[in-house]
Amino acid sequence: MSVRERRTLVTGGASGIGAAIVRRLRAAGDHVIFCDRDEIAGHILAEQTGAIFRCLDVTHFKAVDELCRDTQPFSVLVNNVGADQHAFFTQTNPDDWRFLLSINLEAAMAFTHGVLPMMQAARFGRIVNVASEAGRLGSKGGSVYSAAKAGLIGFTRSIARENARYGITVNAVAPGPIHTPMVDRGVAEYGEKLLQDMADFTLMKRLGQPDEVAAAVVFLASDEASYITGEVLGVSGGMGCGA
Ligand SMILES: NC(=O)c1ccc[n+]([C@@H]2O[C@H](COP(=O)([O-])OP(=O)(O)OC[C@H]3O[C@@H](n4cnc5c(N)ncnc54)[C@H](O)[C@@H]3O)[C@@H](O)[C@H]2O)c1
């Protein structure tokens, strides 16, 4: 099956990295369905790209299950949705932990749970999870986010192990600092210096662009990546070098 005939589901697709993934997959000819809780941005992107938008809070797992059931089959799933909160661990509480684990880890589980049986029946599938270098390196002020992303990496490898025999590959990308609205919210809170600090964490001394992550995701979802599974591809300007 060529990538041009694939039906693809992208989570958190209305902004930043997710929107870049939707644009790239549509340009490649995929039939793309993306979900997001941002109704306005979702409808605008759908109009611009011809992708189909579903407004949904990904932490409502019953709604996720219904979406997967009503819109499948999918041959490609991109678990992109995520959110962070900057706070030292002692300043966080169990509500923060549940929120961050739910959106960064459990949502990917819910979507994977929703689409896997059909992929197994079709004996083909590509799952790409958007993790983070924080999941491999840790992050000062992002302990729970890092734990969730490390969990997503463990989940990626485990689902890869369980599903290779069905012709399903499961990989993750680990972005470093990427210039998206997520980062702009941090800049609004902590000032412009944050951008330089983030750039300094990388070997390339710059932030990445959403499309640079989207390119890696589209590669892992493509026929060209047919013998790659259980991997984590850093897209971080060398930030994870040696990790
Ligand atoms: N930007 C970075 O520097 C960076 C670095 C490493 C990893 N990541 C990861 O990349 C992914 C995309 O991040 P981004 O920077 O593009 O963020 P973003 O904030 O620009 O986009 C996230 C999207 O998810 C949607 N969303 C958030 N909560 C939702 C919910 N409960 N239900 C439905 N939709 C919801 C938002 O509306 C938004 O459209 C995330 O998983 C993030 O953790 C980002």
Side-chain angles (χ1 to χ4, degrees):
M1 195 190 314
S2 132
V3 79
R4 279 165 189 75
E5 292 151 9
R6 290 181 188 178
R7 284 172 54 82
T8 298
L9 178 59
V10 180
T11 73
S15 162
I17 293 168
I21 293 168
V22 169
R23 286 184 194 285
R24 270 207 178 237
L25 288 168
R26 280 296 298 147
D30 273 28
H31 180 81
V32 178
I33 295 177
F34 70 101
C35 60
D36 203 288
R37 68 176 173 194
D38 185 336
E39 194 164 6
I40 294 171
H43 282 304
I44 291 171
L45 185 65
E47 235 167 69
Q48 290 173 344
T49 61
I52 293 169
F53 170 59
R54 291 279 186 278
C55 192
L56 175 83
D57 185 326
V58 299
T59 61
H60 294 168
F61 300 139
K62 197 164 169 288
V64 169
D65 200 44
E66 282 165 11
L67 174 81
C68 292
R69 216 182 35 234
D70 295 348
T71 53
Q72 58 187 346
F74 291 104
S75 39
V76 179
L77 168 65
V78 181
N79 283 308
N80 163 76
V81 78
D84 67 354
Q85 274 178 353
H86 190 272
F88 287 108
F89 185 62
T90 49
Q91 297 161 341
T92 66
N93 63 48
D95 285 341
D96 299 324
W97 310 343
R98 276 189 287 269
F99 165 72
L100 288 166
L101 289 168
S102 175
I103 188 159
N104 290 297
L105 176 56
E106 290 179 345
M109 292 178 176
F111 279 97
T112 303
H113 197 262
V115 306
L116 256 181
M118 289 292 269
M119 285 184 177
Q120 289 173 348
R123 303 197 82 75
F124 180 85
R126 295 267 191 273
I127 299 177
V128 185
N129 296 326
V130 180
S132 170
E133 290 291 12
R136 302 203 281 191
L137 303 173
S139 156
K140 198 160 86 179
S143 53
V144 184
Y145 174 79
S146 299
K149 293 295 192 182
L152 184 58
I153 289 170
F155 181 65
T156 300
R157 292 186 168 134
S158 303
I159 299 302
R161 285 180 186 277
E162 290 182 8
N163 288 278
R165 66 198 154 122
Y166 297 109
I168 299 168
T169 68
V170 190
N171 293 287
V173 293
I178 308 298
H179 206 153
T180 69
M182 182 187 266
V183 166
D184 285 336
R185 287 190 290 275
V187 171
E189 201 172 341
Y190 300 105
E192 288 284 328
K193 188 175 173 299
L194 181 68
L195 291 176
Q196 192 55 54
D197 291 347
M198 291 177 125
D200 285 343
F201 282 130
T202 72
L203 295 188
M204 298 177 79
K205 303 297 174 204
R206 69 170 177 87
L207 270 68
Q209 293 301 318
D211 201 44
E212 295 180 289
V213 181
V217 169
V218 171
F219 166 66
L220 290 171
S222 74
D223 285 349
E224 278 69 29
S226 52
Y227 200 50
I228 302 174
T229 196
E231 295 292 344
V232 182
L233 176 57
V235 188
S236 56
M239 183 183 177
C241 192

